[in-house]
Amino acid sequence: MKFVIIGGDAAGMSAASRTKRSNPSIDVTVLEQGEDVSYSACGMPYNIADPDRDMDDLTVRQADDFKTLGINLLTGRRVTSIDREAKTVSGVTKGGADFTIPFDKLLIATGSSPVKPDLPGFDLPGVMALKTLEDGRRLKNHILEKNIKKAVILGIGYIGLEMAEALRELDIEVKMIKRSGVFLPWMPPEMAAVVKQEIDFKGVFTNSGCNTEKIEMSPDGKLLAICPKETFEGDMIVIAIGVRPNSSMAKDAGLELGPGGAILVNRFMQTSDPDIYAAGDCATAFHVLTGKPTWIALALTANRGGWTVADHVCGKDADMPEIAGTSVFKIFELVVARTGFSIEEARAEGFDPVEVMIKTRSRAHSYPGATRIWTNLVADKKTGKLLGGVMIGREGVAHRINSLATALYAKMTVKDLQRCDFAYAPPFGPVWDPLLTAANQLLKKLD
């Protein structure tokens, strides 16, 4: 069997490695358009904050490591088309030579790309996005070589906030602007205000409700992000508006797309063509709360998707676990985490949601060093079923959100969560854990 994989990062290399380990007789070829494979993209903002650290430190495994497994890993190969009838993929090498490779089974693991508006000036030198390791090298080198002192970030999401922290670590003045007038729309306003207060305190200027119409370069070489009522100047501009799935090649091949324009797959990660799979940021998954296809680009989802494809190609009975969209990120001294639906997302899915937001301590009141934790829980009023939540604080957030994610997978109600026996010791939390306190308060609304 010839198993061809387009894309050499999380989903692609997970599928390639697992396939070879399960069935060494399968001929596995990976086609990667860049030179980097298997790296920790999530670590790039922290790497950028440290001038002495090499960006290549983020490489998890070198290309030669995969070749020792018998994987035919070909870098510098950009696939441009899929011929489903002939069962071939075609493209061009880095040197400009054409190639065509046949397949029996194909995995599309093309990932996602930063959203880059088709507006004047977004292609100017110094206007940069952060997605691939090569993007990271380019951005970091630009900061150091150009001695950047002022930066403008377009977008206030995960990457934008992490980059704001990284740039402030380098003593770079940062201004963040976004089109929407709501700072962080997926969390209760009181919690969003806490995050904003943190970045304000760290000297990051924010402007929500500013639609960048174009970017220009001033006579003295400064970049200008021009909004209807205001102009923001910087030595560089970072685009962090979001990402979109790289699904155009699949669409051109006649494969069905789903939510967010991602490639629609079944629970075995097969596309509308059963011999073609898709996994990672370019593909859909199934949401644990609805069972419906969804698109949420996350690293664990990509790796698990690759494993699922490998198992199915090898003839094993395996399907892709449902996802809850669990995520966590750090912004200066705050940790922000979420899982499941916000109240607006739950309402859009047809639930009758209620929510609660409580403030409590990260440790027992008698133990020194306690800090504030804010906890938001969302549930369905009709069934009492947990639907999601958000937590922010300076400690004890990341692992607690995993407990809530586990509750979503277990289809627990608020009452079920309230009855859980959580560990207690003064250095780690109060007797009534923040999740238990939030559940207690939400039960009152449900009753």
Side-chain angles (χ1 to χ4, degrees):
M1 180 194 298
K2 293 184 181 296
F3 180 29
V4 175
I5 298 169
I6 307 172
D9 198 13
M13 297 318 299
S14 292
S17 300
R18 193 170 176 91
T19 299
K20 266 300 184 183
R21 289 192 178 100
S22 298
N23 189 341
S25 68
I26 294 177
D27 182 353
V28 179
T29 297
V30 179
L31 304 171
E32 165 56 42
Q33 67 177 353
E35 298 298 326
D36 301 301
V37 297
S38 189
Y39 55 87
S40 176
C42 298
M44 287 192 292
Y46 311 107
N47 183 290
I48 289 167
D50 184 353
D52 297 324
R53 189 178 173 195
D54 196 299
M55 189 62 66
D56 287 341
D57 288 350
L58 297 176
T59 300
V60 179
R61 297 184 68 180
Q62 300 292 337
D64 288 344
D65 295 338
F66 293 102
K67 293 176 182 178
T68 60
L69 293 174
I71 297 168
N72 183 26
L73 173 57
L74 304 174
T75 58
R77 305 295 201 280
R78 182 170 64 88
V79 178
T80 56
S81 65
I82 300 167
D83 188 330
R84 291 169 54 193
E85 185 175 347
K87 300 191 80 169
T88 60
V89 297
S90 299
V92 61
T93 68
K94 189 176 181 180
D98 295 331
F99 67 84
T100 297
I101 295 178
F103 66 84
D104 297 306
K105 301 290 184 182
L106 175 68
L107 167 59
I108 303 172
T110 45
S112 60
S113 294
V115 173
K116 194 171 184 179
D118 186 17
L119 294 170
F122 275 76
D123 57 351
L124 284 170
V127 180
M128 317 181 87
L130 184 66
K131 186 65 174 68
T132 67
L133 200 62
E134 184 55 35
D135 291 335
R137 292 190 192 98
R138 190 180 302 115
L139 196 151
K140 188 170 186 175
N141 289 338
H142 185 78
I143 290 171
L144 298 176
E145 292 172 2
K146 300 297 183 181
N147 193 26
I148 300 298
K149 297 298 182 184
K150 296 167 65 175
V152 178
I153 299 175
L154 306 185
I156 307 179
Y158 295 178
I159 295 298
L161 289 167
E162 288 175 345
M163 277 304 301
E165 177 181 351
L167 295 174
R168 290 300 295 139
E169 286 289 325
L170 297 171
D171 201 28
I172 295 172
E173 179 185 316
V174 177
K175 293 183 178 180
M176 303 185 75
I177 57 179
K178 65 177 294 189
R179 181 175 182 175
S180 168
V182 182
F183 177 64
L184 290 175
W186 47 270
M187 67 168 61
E190 186 176 348
M191 297 176 77
V194 173
V195 179
K196 188 175 185 307
Q197 183 180 33
E198 176 73 9
I199 64 175
D200 287 347
F201 179 74
K202 297 295 184 178
V204 177
F205 170 87
T206 59
N207 186 315
S208 300
C210 175
N211 184 22
T212 304
E213 297 179 328
K214 61 182 176 179
I215 298 172
E216 292 182 350
M217 185 170 285
S218 68
D220 61 351
K222 301 294 184 182
L223 289 165
L224 308 174
I226 300 175
C227 300
K229 297 181 179 180
E230 196 168 357
T231 295
F232 300 90
E233 179 187 283
D235 302 314
M236 70 180 296
I237 292 179
V238 179
I239 303 173
I241 301 172
V243 298
R244 59 168 58 99
N246 292 327
S247 56
S248 60
M249 184 165 48
K251 182 181 179 180
D252 292 343
L255 299 177
E256 189 175 351
L257 303 187
I263 305 168
L264 188 67
V265 296
N266 62 19
R267 292 181 182 269
F268 306 117
M269 308 306 290
Q270 291 170 299
T271 67
S272 49
D273 184 328
D275 287 329
I276 301 178
Y277 300 80
D281 288 3
C282 66
T284 61
F286 290 89
H287 203 286
V288 70
L289 293 172
T290 64
K292 297 191 301 187
T294 187
W295 180 65
I296 304 173
L298 292 170
L300 181 58
T301 302
N303 281 279
R304 278 186 169 157
W307 278 21
T308 302
V309 172
D311 289 347
H312 200 256
V313 165
C314 292
K316 298 181 180 179
D317 184 17
D319 61 354
M320 175 68 176
E322 294 175 323
I323 66 170
T326 309
S327 59
V328 61
F329 69 96
K330 180 176 110 35
I331 176 65
F332 297 109
E333 304 303 321
L334 278 182
V335 180
V336 181
R338 68 172 301 194
T339 190
F341 293 144
S342 68
I343 192 165
E344 293 301 329
E345 291 167 339
R347 192 172 288 121
E349 290 291 342
F351 293 101
D352 181 16
V354 292
E355 69 176 342
V356 70
M357 196 283 295
I358 62 105
K359 292 182 288 185
T360 186
R361 293 173 176 269
S362 62
R363 308 178 187 183
H365 75 279
S366 60
Y367 196 88
T371 58
R372 187 73 74 186
I373 283 187
W374 288 258
T375 304
N376 161 251
L377 287 183
V378 181
D380 180 49
K381 191 170 185 179
K382 180 179 179 181
T383 63
K385 181 181 176 181
L386 283 163
L387 298 178
V390 180
M391 298 188 75
I392 59 175
R394 300 185 186 280
E395 63 175 2
V397 168
H399 296 300
R400 281 187 171 96
I401 206 70
N402 287 337
S403 296
L404 184 55
T406 302
L408 297 184
Y409 276 89
K411 315 294 184 185
M412 291 172 66
T413 64
V414 178
K415 188 173 182 179
D416 292 332
L417 178 63
Q418 187 266 348
R419 290 167 62 88
C420 283
D421 181 20
F422 287 167
Y424 161 66
F428 308 110
V431 173
W432 287 96
D433 185 87
L435 284 175
L436 298 180
T437 301
N440 286 335
Q441 295 303 312
L442 190 52
L443 274 176
K444 295 177 183 178
K445 287 195 174 185
L446 292 172
D447 292 340

